[in-house]
């Protein structure tokens, strides 16, 4: 693919690496089509951390998966067989992660997830070489369910796309929401017309709506929901209210509560420096996806400082130690190599001409996922 050669040349020029770099990373992410903004943010956050570290012993090969599982599998095979990468990363979508991660780890490669966290990989399908640096898919939705309960909401209508992350989303919300369900729907992945779903919400008798619709799906739903006149409170995860989405949605999002493990106003020196440097480098505020890419790179670099990637046991232990300064503040891995971290409640606000979020509460503290007990590592 032409993108690969251009991206590789750019990364090599950036890093000043040789063809025999000590660690070679294959980044497979979504850079075109629907959801491209998410992959671009992960890539930019990751590469900013690499640039700031100034490493000459790290090479990054970047490819576009086009949000297609078969393409992602082909790219992973090429990176493992031809490129001889040591570490894979970058995948945004859970269905792509399920297609790539088990085969990659079975071949002895390390996989660091900067986003997708499907439940099978946290539970019975966990693997010593798989580390999720973002969250397990249920986590942000669990915090949304807890917030809805604490806010006195008692009858939610819930909807999400019909793919692994969508199923994990509704499972997570229901795990912590103590009220009733006025309705539960799975929509088509990539859907843009939500007239039928909004009509069902209107007729349901719900007192609130929880939805997980990342990327362009969320933009479409929020605009149509605002225009519909249905005036029920919305609750969701950050994926439907993130920095890139908010500018497209506009005033329809103001005041909506959403949950995230990161926000630009988390008060620590690493986060302040990240937000400032990302905005200076790319001319936009970072999203949670950018923060996850940044943390993923810094986790990798922290392991490189302690162990040789050729010594798999030592490198794995160095990753598990997670001795890096996360933009989230406190961060550690559970037994299944998924994060233990705070999940915050955010509110959409407007700062000047920019729509953004501010933290208003901590939804869940030092929160781990529900699947660790099923992991036999």
């Amino acid at each position: 693919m032409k993108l690969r050669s251009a991206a590789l040349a750019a990364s090599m020029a950036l890093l000043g690496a040789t063809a025999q770099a000590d660690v070679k990373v294959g980044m497979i992410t979504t850079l075109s089509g629907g959801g491209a903004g998410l992959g671009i943010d992960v890539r930019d956050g990751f590469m900013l951390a690499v640039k700031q570290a100034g490493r000459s012993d790290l090479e990054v090969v970047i490819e576009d998966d086009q949000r297609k599982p078969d393409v992602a599998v082909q790219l992973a095979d090429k990176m493992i067989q031809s490129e001889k990468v040591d570490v894979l990363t970058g995948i945004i979508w859970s269905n792509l992660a399920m297609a790539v991660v088990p085969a990659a780890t079975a071949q002895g490669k390390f996989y660091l997830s900067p986003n997708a966290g499907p439940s099978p990989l946290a539970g019975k399908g966990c693997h010593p070489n798989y580390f999720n640096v973002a969250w397990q898919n249920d986590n942000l939705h669990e915090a949304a369910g807890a917030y809805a309960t604490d806010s006195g909401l008692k009858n939610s209508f819930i909807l999400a796309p019909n793919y692994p992350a969508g199923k994990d989303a509704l499972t997570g919300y229901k795990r912590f929401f103590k009220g009733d369900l006025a309705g539960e729907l799975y929509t088509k992945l990539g859907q843009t017309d939500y007239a039928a779903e909004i009509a069902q919400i209107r007729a349901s008798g719900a007192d609130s709506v929880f939805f997980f619709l990342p990327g362009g799906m969320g933009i479409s739903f929020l605009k149509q929901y605002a225009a519909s006149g249905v005036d029920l409170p919305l609750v969701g995860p950050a994926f439907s209210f993130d920095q890139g989405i908010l500018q497209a949605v506009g005033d329809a999002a103001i005041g909506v509560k959403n949950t995230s493990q990161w926000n630009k106003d988390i008060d620590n020196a690493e986060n302040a420096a990240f937000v400032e440097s990302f905005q200076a480098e790319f001319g936009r505020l970072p999203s949670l996806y950018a923060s996850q890419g940044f943390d993923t790179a810094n986790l990798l670099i922290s392991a490189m400082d302690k162990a040789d990637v050729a010594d798999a046991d030592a490198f794995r232990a160095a990753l598990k130690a997670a001795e890096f300064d996360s933009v989230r503040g406190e961060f550690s891995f559970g037994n299944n190599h998924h994060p233990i971290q705070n999940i915050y409640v955010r509110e959409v606000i407007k700062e000047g001409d920019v729509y953004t979020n501010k933290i208003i509460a901590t939804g869940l503290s030092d929160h781990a996922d529900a699947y660790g007990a099923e992991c036999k590592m």
Side-chain angles (χ1 to χ4, degrees), residues 264-275:
K264 65 183 180 65
D265 58 352
I266 291 178
D267 187 15
N268 65 63
E270 186 69 22
N271 193 46
F274 163 66
V275 172

Side-chain angles (χ1 to χ4, degrees), residues 190-252:
Q191 183 172 324
T192 57
D193 183 353
Y194 295 95
E197 288 79 5
I198 292 171
Q200 291 185 57
I201 291 169
R202 188 192 302 275
S204 69
D207 67 0
S208 55
V209 177
F210 168 79
F211 73 101
F212 163 61
L213 294 166
M217 293 178 284
I219 295 171
S220 297
F221 176 81
L222 279 167
K223 287 185 172 181
Q224 292 165 38
Y225 185 85
S228 73
V230 177
D231 193 25
L232 299 175
L234 293 171
V235 180
F239 317 120
S240 300
F241 302 94
D242 206 54
Q243 203 59 52
I245 291 175
L246 289 177
Q247 312 320 307
V249 174
D251 286 347

Side-chain angles (χ1 to χ4, degrees), residues 20 61 69 74 80-81 94 119 137 152 201 222 248 270 322 330 367:
Q20 300 299 320
V61 180
Q74 292 169 11
I80 293 170
Q81 302 301 326
S94 289
S119 53
N137 280 351
I201 291 169
L222 279 167
E270 186 69 22
E330 293 296 321
H367 186 58

